[in-house]
């Protein structure tokens, strides 16, 4: 729990935790000692009060930008996506102070959640999946990746896509992409993704052991 103040405006008690995994968190910890100047953090306005919002937001992400000497890449990348017509979070810079200690400048990024889909998609109450490639017909596995509709989701669309892809001949794949995706949006996404050399997104697969390859840090939205 943390008592939050933004630009001298008291918000109340919110949830605050460190954010990240092997790339941005584990490398910053040596035993019980922190070895990085700053750690990424995630803030939840509704952690202790389900009705608490800040200008409609439930969550915010503070990214440390430790691998970015320019401190600009993330903000510029999201701007490029939006200018190409790709739905992407808003991003800016913020100074973060915890218990009186100035932690420096962070990349402040909007959370992709149900509020986000409501804002950007007509009837935005579809299923939002985080890091779920269409490679399973397990409703349980799909449910574990949901960011919306956790209690009521119908996974039949994703299961059908997986089954169609699994059974398709190579010459049929392009037709399936056209059937199940908005092709123009998809091509715009990949144009920016490749232009900025994004190494941590839908097009970057990492392999651990035989056949265990997966991509990371992306969302799929089912209209």
């Amino acid at each position: 729990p943390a008592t939050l103040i933004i630009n001298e405006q008291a918000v109340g008690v919110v949830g605050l935790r460190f954010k990240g995994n092997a790339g941005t968190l584990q490398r910053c910890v040596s035993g019980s000692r922190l070895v990085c100047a700053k750690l990424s953090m995630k803030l939840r306005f509704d952690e202790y009060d389900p009705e608490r919002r800040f200008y409609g937001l439930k969550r915010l992400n503070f990214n440390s930008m430790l691998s970015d000497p320019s401190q600009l890449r993330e903000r510029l990348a999201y701007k490029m996506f939006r200018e190409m017509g790709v739905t992407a979070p808003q991003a800016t810079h913020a100074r973060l102070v915890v218990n009186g200690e100035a932690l420096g400048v962070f990349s402040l990024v909007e959370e992709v959640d149900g509020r986000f889909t409501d804002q950007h998609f007509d009837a935005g109450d579809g299923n939002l999946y985080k890091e779920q490639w269409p490679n399973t017909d397990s409703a349980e596995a799909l449910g574990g990746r949901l960011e919306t509709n956790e209690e009521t989701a119908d996974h039949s669309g994703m299961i059908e896509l997986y089954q169609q892809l699994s059974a398709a001949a190579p010459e049929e794949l392009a037709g399936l992409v056209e059937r199940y995706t908005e092709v123009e949006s998809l091509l715009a996404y990949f144009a920016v993704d490749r232009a900025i050399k994004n190494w941590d997104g839908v097009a970057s697969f990492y392999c651990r052991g035989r056949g265990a390859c997966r991509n990371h840090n992306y969302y799929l939205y089912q209209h």
Side-chain angles (χ1 to χ4, degrees):
T3 300
L4 178 67
I5 300 173
I6 299 179
N7 290 340
E8 301 183 354
Q9 177 182 346
V11 177
V13 178
V14 300
L16 185 68
R17 67 169 175 84
F18 293 131
K19 170 182 176 290
N21 205 313
T24 56
L25 185 57
Q26 290 180 9
R27 65 177 177 154
C28 286
V29 179
S30 177
S32 60
R33 186 167 61 93
L34 297 179
V35 295
C36 291
K38 55 184 177 178
L39 298 176
S40 297
M41 299 188 187
K42 195 175 195 76
L43 187 152
R44 293 187 58 162
F45 295 102
D46 63 342
E47 179 71 16
Y48 299 101
D49 179 357
E51 302 303 318
R52 175 161 286 144
R53 304 288 186 273
F54 187 76
Y55 291 97
L57 298 173
K58 290 184 178 180
R59 304 178 187 181
L60 284 174
N61 300 287
F62 295 86
N63 295 327
S64 64
M65 303 186 290
L66 287 176
S67 300
D68 178 10
S70 73
Q71 307 285 279
L72 287 170
R73 291 174 185 168
E74 189 168 35
R75 186 172 176 178
L76 289 175
Y78 285 130
K79 185 174 187 292
M80 288 181 65
F81 277 117
R82 290 194 300 271
E83 289 184 350
M84 283 288 287
V86 179
T87 302
Q90 297 184 78
T92 187
H93 287 91
R95 296 184 184 274
L96 192 59
V97 178
V98 177
N99 295 333
E101 179 184 359
L103 300 184
V105 176
F106 289 73
S107 173
L108 176 59
V109 182
E110 178 184 15
E111 179 79 358
V112 178
D113 54 14
R115 177 210 52 82
F116 182 90
T117 60
D118 284 340
Q119 181 178 358
H120 290 283
F121 299 103
D122 292 336
D125 55 355
N127 292 341
L128 178 68
Y129 296 95
K130 183 176 182 181
E131 298 178 358
Q132 181 56 62
W133 204 236
N135 60 352
T136 180
D137 57 1
S138 167
E140 181 179 1
L142 292 167
R145 295 293 184 177
L146 269 180
E147 298 293 311
T148 59
N149 303 331
E150 288 92 335
E151 305 298 327
T152 60
D154 175 3
H155 301 291
S156 58
M158 281 286 280
I159 292 173
E160 179 182 298
L161 173 57
Y162 160 72
Q163 292 171 339
Q164 293 280 338
L165 288 171
S166 299
E171 63 271 16
E172 297 174 314
L173 291 175
L176 283 176
V177 172
E178 292 180 349
R179 176 181 171 187
Y180 282 97
T181 72
E182 293 183 350
V183 176
E184 292 298 323
S185 296
L186 192 63
L187 292 176
Y189 174 90
F190 280 115
V192 179
D193 187 82
R194 296 300 82 205
I196 64 176
K197 296 181 172 60
N198 182 17
W199 53 266
D200 192 25
V202 68
S204 299
F205 283 82
Y206 298 91
C207 301
R208 297 178 181 177
R210 181 177 237 172
C213 299
R214 64 185 298 266
N215 47 11
H216 186 51
N217 279 339
Y218 63 91
Y219 294 87
L220 292 179
Y221 179 66
Q222 178 189 354
H223 282 268

